[in-house]
Amino acid sequence: MVTTNTEIAYNSKIEGEVIVSRMDSIINWIRTNSMWPMPMGLACCAIELMGTASSRFDIARFGAEVMRFSPRQSDCMIVAGTVTYKMASAVRRIYDQMAEPKWVIAMGACASSGGMYRSYATLQGVDHIVPVDVYISGCPPRPEALLDALMKLQAKVRHERSATNLRRA
Amino acid sequence: MSATVDVLAVLKEKFPAATPRPSLDHPAVNLAAGDIPAALKFLRDEQGFDFLVDLTAVDWAEGVSPRFTVVYHLLSTGRHDYVRVATDCPSDEAPAVASVVSLWAGANWHEREVYDMFGINFTGHPDLRRILMWDGYPYHPLRKEFPLAGIDTPLPDAEIMAETGARVIAAPMAGGPFVASPGEINLTEAEPRAKDESWTERRAKPDA
């Protein structure tokens, strides 16, 4: 069908500067595109995390460039590295300080499962102490893998029932 | 590299308990535990061994006596000579030797590590606390009777343990440790794999 209408985008003159949408879409749109990470760099994965943040891979393209060691201002904890039992309590306390909503990425073999450290000193996966949303395989993972995990997390957040959860909270 | 002075002969003159210790590289000597601070001070001040490279220990396994040996590696920065000094702890149940922190301040953390890992007490140490494991951890992990996987214990933080229900668990070994042994497989294609693949976390270990 051929139409003479060329107005295929939002036109403020027609719509009167009003957009109609669902709360879920708007909240999730806001959340997905400024996912500020809390870098929990504990071992060599943190080097790849730094690489991901730098110009070549540029995590800023996905709105997640604000890496500050500041749990109260962050949305997504990236656990990058080996979590020892001695460190586990600190990781959990930092997670507890993050404001809701919050997500966790377990980056690399160690954070996901203890990795090669089947030993008395290493927590066998950070999911023993914090709920993990996305696991990344690799030792260490390439920066592309971290970006992929971030996109996976964004896809997950996009489908959350945010408005319903807000009402319930 | 050979020593320019015969350390053993010099030491034997002052400390008659000194005996030669088998060594593949540098001169090594066994000393009585009681001689340790004096002999090391002698080596440092009169033989020029001014740098404590390493301080560690050996556990010769349960039932062996003497069970624990403390080993000192000394370097003479002037002559580029090394010497290794070893001493057996007199007691197997409550091993202890004198601290050398007063000779080398750097011995402080080495002795704390040996205390943490082997449970050897260094008498006269200014601050003998655990350095790697947390305070209150009930075991000494590098002792021979301690399993690599660890032993079930509470988390260091009781509050976190109550909230998460997590504990320090014996790590699932599943036939590990996971190693790529040279010679057995092509290392360029190999993944590290368990030595014993007859059992996994799903399939129980067959009785020996």
Side-chain angles (χ1 to χ4, degrees):
Chain A
M1 190 180 98
V2 181
T3 169
T4 52
N5 183 13
T6 53
E7 302 286 344
I8 50 171
Y10 170 74
N11 185 332
S12 62
K13 289 199 178 76
I14 295 172
E15 311 280 352
E17 298 186 345
V18 171
I19 299 174
V20 179
S21 180
R22 289 164 58 237
M23 276 298 282
D24 275 350
S25 319
I26 293 169
I27 293 172
N28 291 343
W29 175 65
I30 294 166
R31 284 180 180 173
T32 44
N33 293 303
S34 66
M35 187 86 71
W36 290 8
M38 164 70 218
M40 180 55 70
L42 301 172
C44 32
C45 277
I47 304 292
E48 297 298 307
L49 178 59
M50 287 180 244
T52 316
S54 315
S55 52
R56 187 182 179 104
F57 296 100
D58 195 12
I59 205 169
R61 294 179 293 155
F62 304 92
E65 76 276 23
V66 189
M67 289 210 202
R68 308 283 150 71
F69 297 94
S70 170
R72 284 162 210 270
Q73 278 78 36
S74 39
D75 307 299
C76 166
M77 182 153 82
I78 301 177
V79 184
T82 319
V83 188
T84 59
Y85 283 117
K86 204 173 174 181
M87 191 66 193
S89 348
V91 173
R92 174 69 200 200
R93 278 184 194 285
I94 288 170
Y95 175 79
D96 284 341
Q97 287 179 51
M98 290 166 61
E100 292 278 1
K102 51 191 173 182
W103 298 275
V104 177
I105 295 176
M107 181 182 179
C110 293
S112 302
S113 71
M116 64 177 186
Y117 297 103
R118 298 292 171 108
S119 93
Y120 57 89
T122 308
L123 185 70
Q124 299 296 304
V126 75
D127 50 5
H128 282 98
I129 51 161
V130 292
V132 175
D133 294 279
V134 184
Y135 299 85
I136 313 176
S137 64
C139 184
R142 293 271 315 165
E144 291 94 327
L146 179 58
L147 293 177
D148 181 52
L150 182 66
M151 286 153 75
K152 288 239 164 32
L153 182 58
Q154 288 175 334
K156 180 181 176 175
V157 171
R158 238 171 248 131
H159 291 100
E160 278 181 357
R161 308 283 305 267
S162 311
T164 324
N165 293 345
L166 272 184
R167 213 182 308 129
R168 216 178 277 148
Chain B
M1 189 165 62
S2 63
T4 46
V5 250
D6 189 351
V7 183
L8 178 64
V10 180
L11 267 177
K12 189 128 187 110
E13 231 169 78
K14 291 203 78 149
F15 304 95
T19 53
R21 179 181 175 80
S23 167
L24 286 176
D25 43 15
H26 304 293
V29 53
N30 287 314
L31 283 169
D35 287 342
I36 273 302
L40 291 181
K41 189 169 169 51
F42 168 73
L43 285 173
R44 185 190 70 169
D45 294 344
E46 289 168 47
Q47 296 298 317
F49 289 99
D50 47 356
F51 181 48
L52 178 73
V53 179
D54 196 10
L55 191 167
T56 183
V58 186
D59 177 4
W60 298 104
E62 276 176 297
V64 179
S65 190
R67 181 173 172 184
F68 294 101
T69 303
V70 179
V71 185
Y72 305 83
H73 290 215
L74 305 184
L75 168 70
S76 162
T77 52
R79 295 199 317 272
H80 302 293
D81 270 353
Y82 286 93
V83 66
R84 183 181 302 120
V85 177
T87 182
D88 296 328
C89 296
S91 164
D92 295 338
E93 277 69 48
V97 289
S99 166
V100 294
V101 175
S102 52
L103 298 177
W104 292 279
N108 189 319
W109 282 17
H110 283 115
E111 290 182 352
R112 281 178 64 187
E113 186 180 352
V114 171
Y115 163 73
D116 189 355
M117 293 287 126
F118 293 93
I120 296 173
N121 265 292
F122 289 87
T123 47
H125 190 286
D127 181 28
L128 197 62
R129 284 179 296 128
R130 285 182 179 272
I131 192 168
L132 295 172
M133 306 305 283
W134 54 95
D135 291 330
Y137 187 69
Y139 305 105
H140 299 289
L142 287 194
R143 285 193 172 186
K144 281 284 187 287
E145 79 268 14
F146 187 89
L148 173 64
I151 298 174
D152 198 299
T153 36
L155 275 191
D157 192 319
E159 202 185 343
I160 300 295
M161 190 172 75
E163 184 155 334
T164 62
R167 289 179 65 80
V168 177
I169 54 165
M173 296 301 280
F178 300 86
V179 290
S181 315
E184 282 177 23
I185 40 178
N186 180 359
L187 283 182
T188 49
E189 295 168 7
E191 288 280 318
R193 60 189 71 234
K195 282 264 194 199
D196 175 9
E197 291 185 329
S198 65
W199 62 289
T200 64
E201 275 152 48
R202 290 198 190 82
R203 202 146 40 97
K205 188 177 188 175
D207 292 327

